[in-house]
Amino acid sequence: IMLRVASVVKARETPFQRRYNFRKSDWGSFSEDIKSYLTFDHVVENNEKFIDSVRRASNKNIARGCRTKHIPGLEQSAKDLLNAYNQQYNLDSFSQKTTELSHELLHSIGSSRQQQWMEMINSKVTPNQVASCL
């Protein structure tokens, strides 16, 4: 019989793919840059120039990043709890303290996810936005 013990909370592994972070974007500067780059009259005839101007403005004003490990619902306040849990798990994965920390951590993450879900449901969202959060 083989028994494999794993941590209660594990970060999801995601492939390294840079993504735009629209929350950290400078939309005012983005709009100004687009206007300054568009020096031609007909967008249809100058499609390549238009795409290039949007690409230059987005690279300049929209932050990009990539998280290769992510725990959905883990807020800043629970990161200390996660670190304490990981340290205790590495010392003794079957101790009472490890179990208590895992329950606290799971409760913190669960309540954070529930709060995010309730905020999303109570706001005006489209079905596509709901589906993207699942």
Side-chain angles (χ1 to χ4, degrees):
I1 295 176
M2 182 181 277
L3 178 65
R4 185 175 181 184
V5 178
S7 176
V8 173
V9 177
K10 287 189 107 174
R12 284 187 195 168
E13 295 282 335
T14 57
F16 183 80
Q17 179 181 0
R18 294 177 60 87
R19 295 168 178 87
Y20 286 108
N21 187 346
F22 295 113
R23 291 182 184 163
K24 293 183 179 181
S25 300
D26 184 3
W27 293 108
S29 297
F30 177 80
S31 299
E32 291 174 14
D33 287 347
I34 288 287
K35 288 176 186 175
S36 69
Y37 294 150
L38 296 179
T39 57
F40 44 87
D41 293 332
H42 301 288
V43 174
V44 175
E45 295 169 2
N46 297 301
N47 191 33
E48 292 300 319
K49 289 182 182 178
F50 175 73
I51 291 171
D52 183 54
S53 61
V54 170
R55 200 173 276 147
R56 282 191 294 161
S58 63
N59 286 339
K60 183 177 175 184
N61 299 297
I62 302 175
R64 294 189 73 178
C66 179
R67 290 186 294 202
T68 55
K69 294 188 177 194
H70 176 61
I71 300 174
L74 184 68
E75 293 183 345
Q76 191 65 31
S77 59
K79 285 188 178 181
D80 293 334
L81 189 58
L82 176 64
N83 290 335
Y85 168 74
N86 285 334
Q87 288 176 352
Q88 187 63 36
Y89 180 81
N90 290 334
L91 291 175
D92 184 8
S93 58
F94 295 107
S95 72
Q96 181 66 27
K97 183 156 176 89
T98 305
T99 305
E100 290 170 1
L101 285 171
S102 69
H103 288 301
E104 286 181 51
L105 184 59
L106 289 175
H107 177 72
S108 174
I109 292 172
S111 62
S112 173
R113 287 180 182 173
Q114 182 181 15
Q115 181 182 2
Q116 290 173 355
W117 179 256
M118 294 306 292
E119 288 173 2
M120 185 182 62
I121 294 299
N122 291 331
S123 65
K124 295 180 180 179
V125 294
T126 65
N128 288 340
Q129 290 170 325
V130 172
S132 69
C133 294
L134 296 177

